């Protein structure tokens, strides 16, 4: 059959369809004019059903004729188009029916319908999530780790945002008075916790320092120090002039350039210092350092002296009771002990009696406590 004949046939079929539709409308109008209202509805429904059946029959007939004439390749395309058109028509009809049903349903049924729709949407979302999870499971290990990290980061961010939102809501609900009390309690708890941690840390550090210092100072290596003979000479001179029990111990401090170290009894501290200063053979005329330390178990004074005649330094130490640290002043022997003793008094609370002008030189006289003590707590918590 030629293209012209196909075109003529299609035009004839279209004209026939238009004529049939016009005739059906005319008959429907005539019947509607004659029939009462109740019969009119039934007639309309019958007419609509008849028109649908006629249209379906005509469509089937045309499809058969076109199918008989078309080759197999065109048949598949035609089927796909027909299926797509049918799906689109069904979807449109379903939407229309849903709208009509929604308009007719009362409020209670509407809520149930909404809930069903939400449940269906959730089920669909869950199915999609499962599908995505399954697809993710098929990914190689490296991509899986990255995906897990991203998911974990997103979850943390979401949780943080939720916590902040809840905190803001709770804060907004509380009156101003309760807010201030809550802030003060939180600040006080934080300060107490920090103070307890600092005390524990300081106590542990002090114990470690004491143990290490004593073990290192008392430890005597196999090699004899070059200053050992000087130490023996000084100790012998002190025991001869001051007394056998004047020194509690003596040793070479390997950690401080092998300096000979003398640990004095608090009762003989000033007598030993005076002997070191004025003995013609020793002549320790220069006081280079004096400072105090808090070892928690006791207080300690460390004095560093130098003899230009012997070309030798010596350390003089004395341990004091921590609760009542009192010791004679060395200012009458070395004027250079003036400010170091004031500093030890100011920061540690060590009292040097017979000092010419013992006073606080860094802090005011009304300052509470001694800042270099391990148990020091500021009088003003904001300092």
């Amino acid at each position: 059959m030629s293209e012209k004949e196909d075109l003529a046939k299609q035009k004839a079929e279209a004209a026939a369809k238009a004529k049939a539709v016009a005739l059906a409308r005319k008959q429907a109008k005539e019947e509607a004019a004659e029939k009462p209202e109740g019969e009119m509805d039934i007639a309309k429904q019958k007419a609509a059903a008849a028109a649908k059946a006629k249209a379906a029959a005509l469509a089937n007939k045309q499809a058969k004729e076109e199918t008989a004439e078309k080759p197999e390749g065109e048949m598949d395309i035609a089927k796909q188009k027909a299926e797509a058109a049918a799906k689109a028509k069904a979807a449109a009809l379903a939407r229309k029916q849903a709208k009509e049903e929604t308009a007719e349903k009362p409020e209670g049924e509407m809520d149930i319908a909404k809930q069903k729709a939400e449940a269906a949407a959730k089920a669909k979302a869950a199915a999609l999530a499962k599908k995505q999870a399954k697809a993710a499971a098929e990914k190689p290990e490296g991509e899986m780790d990255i995906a897990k990290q991203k998911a974990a980061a997103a979850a943390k961010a979401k949780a943080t945002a939720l916590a902040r939102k809840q905190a803001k809501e709770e804060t907004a609900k509380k009156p101003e008075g309760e807010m201030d009390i809550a802030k003060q309690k939180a600040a006080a708890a934080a300060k107490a916790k920090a103070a307890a941690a600092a005390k524990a840390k300081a106590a542990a550090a002090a114990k470690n320092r004491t143990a290490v210092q004593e073990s290192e100072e008392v430890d005597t290596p196999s090699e004899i120090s070059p200053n050992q003979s000087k130490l023996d000479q000084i100790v012998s001179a002190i025991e001869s002039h001051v007394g056998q029990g004047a020194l509690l111990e003596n040793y070479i401090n390997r950690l401080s350039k092998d300096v000979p170290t003398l640990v004095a009894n608090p009762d003989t501290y000033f007598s030993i210092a005076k002997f070191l200063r004025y003995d013609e053979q020793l002549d320790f005329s220069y006081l280079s350092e004096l400072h105090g330390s808090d070892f928690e178990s006791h207080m300690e004074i460390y004095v560093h002296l130098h003899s230009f005649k012997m070309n030798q330094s010596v350390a003089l130490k004395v341990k004091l009771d921590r609760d009542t640290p009192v010791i004679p002043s060395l200012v009458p022997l070395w004027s250079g002990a003036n400010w170091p003793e004031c500093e030890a008094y100011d920061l540690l609370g060590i009292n040097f009696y017979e000092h010419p002008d013992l006073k606080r030189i860094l802090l005011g006289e009304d300052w509470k406590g001694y800042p270099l003590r391990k148990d020091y707590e500021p009088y003003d918590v904001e300092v």
Side-chain angles (χ1 to χ4, degrees):
M1 188 181 288
S2 64
E3 290 183 4
K4 289 182 179 181
E5 290 175 351
D6 287 339
L7 185 61
K9 189 176 180 181
Q10 290 172 6
K11 285 182 179 179
E13 288 173 357
K17 283 182 187 177
K19 194 173 182 180
V21 171
L23 183 62
R25 286 179 183 169
K26 186 178 178 182
Q27 290 175 353
K29 283 182 181 179
E30 291 174 356
E31 291 174 0
E34 295 172 0
K35 289 179 182 178
E37 190 175 352
E39 292 180 11
M40 278 288 288
D41 294 337
I42 296 167
K44 279 182 181 179
Q45 292 173 4
K46 285 182 179 179
K52 284 181 183 178
K54 192 171 181 181
L58 184 61
N60 288 338
K61 184 179 177 183
Q62 288 176 354
K64 284 181 182 178
E65 289 174 356
E66 290 173 2
T67 301
E69 293 172 3
K70 288 180 181 176
E72 189 174 353
E74 294 180 10
M75 282 285 289
D76 294 336
I77 296 167
K79 279 183 182 179
Q80 292 172 5
K81 287 182 178 178
E83 287 174 0
K87 283 182 183 177
K89 192 172 182 181
L93 183 61
R95 287 176 190 164
K96 186 179 178 183
Q97 288 175 350
K99 284 182 182 179
E100 290 173 356
E101 289 173 3
T102 302
E104 292 172 2
K105 284 179 184 176
E107 191 175 351
E109 291 182 14
M110 281 288 287
D111 293 337
I112 295 167
K114 280 184 181 178
Q115 292 172 4
K116 286 182 179 178
E118 288 175 0
K122 285 180 181 177
K124 191 172 181 182
L128 182 61
K130 285 180 182 176
K131 186 178 178 183
Q132 290 175 347
K134 194 174 180 182
E138 294 173 0
K139 289 180 180 179
E141 191 174 351
E143 293 182 14
M144 281 290 287
D145 292 339
I146 294 167
K148 281 182 181 177
Q149 291 171 5
K150 286 182 180 177
K156 283 182 182 177
K158 193 173 181 180
T160 304
L162 182 61
R164 286 179 184 166
K165 186 179 178 182
Q166 289 175 348
K168 283 183 181 178
E169 290 174 356
E170 290 174 2
T171 302
K173 290 176 184 176
K174 287 183 180 178
E176 190 175 351
E178 291 182 15
M179 281 290 289
D180 293 337
I181 294 167
K183 280 183 180 178
Q184 291 171 5
K185 285 182 179 178
K191 284 180 182 176
K193 192 173 180 182
K199 281 184 181 178
K201 190 175 180 181
K207 285 180 183 177
N208 290 337
R209 281 197 303 271
T210 304
V212 169
Q213 185 177 12
E214 289 179 354
S215 64
E216 288 176 344
E217 288 179 349
V218 174
D219 182 30
T220 305
S222 56
E223 287 187 16
I224 297 175
S225 169
N227 291 331
Q228 185 63 48
S229 60
K230 299 283 182 69
L231 175 62
D232 294 340
Q233 178 188 348
I234 296 168
V235 169
S236 177
I238 291 172
E239 289 178 347
S240 299
H241 292 82
V242 181
Q244 289 291 329
L247 291 173
L248 295 179
E249 61 177 314
N250 61 85
Y251 56 88
I252 296 292
N253 190 345
R254 294 283 185 174
L255 299 178
S256 182
K257 300 180 180 178
D258 282 19
V259 63
T261 303
L262 310 171
V263 182
N265 189 313
D267 297 333
T268 58
Y269 167 71
F270 186 80
S271 300
I272 293 171
K274 186 176 181 180
F275 176 74
L276 294 173
R277 169 70 180 88
Y278 293 115
D279 181 77
E280 293 181 359
Q281 299 298 322
L282 303 179
D283 193 22
F284 285 93
S285 59
Y286 177 58
L287 185 148
S288 61
E289 182 180 355
L290 185 151
H291 68 260
S293 300
D294 180 9
F295 286 93
E296 291 192 308
S297 59
H298 64 278
M299 291 287 184
E300 186 174 280
I301 296 294
Y302 178 94
V303 183
H304 196 272
L305 305 171
H306 186 77
S307 170
F308 294 99
K309 183 178 284 189
M310 295 178 66
N311 192 23
Q312 180 63 47
S313 295
V314 70
L316 176 63
K317 296 168 65 174
V318 60
K319 295 180 181 180
L320 307 175
D321 180 66
R322 194 170 184 277
D323 295 329
T324 55
V326 180
I327 199 73
S329 172
L330 298 183
V331 174
L333 305 177
W334 294 279
S335 59
N338 188 344
W339 285 93
E341 287 183 351
C342 287
E343 183 181 35
Y345 165 73
D346 191 7
L347 301 178
L348 290 163
I350 298 173
N351 188 12
F352 298 88
Y353 65 84
E354 295 186 4
H355 187 286
D357 186 23
L358 190 63
K359 61 184 178 181
R360 303 193 92 146
I361 58 173
L362 299 174
L363 306 172
E365 288 295 336
D366 58 344
W367 188 272
K368 306 292 183 181
Y370 304 99
L372 287 188
R373 282 182 175 250
K374 296 295 190 300
D375 58 354
Y376 172 71
E377 290 185 9
Y379 178 73
D380 184 355
V381 294
E382 297 301 327
V383 174

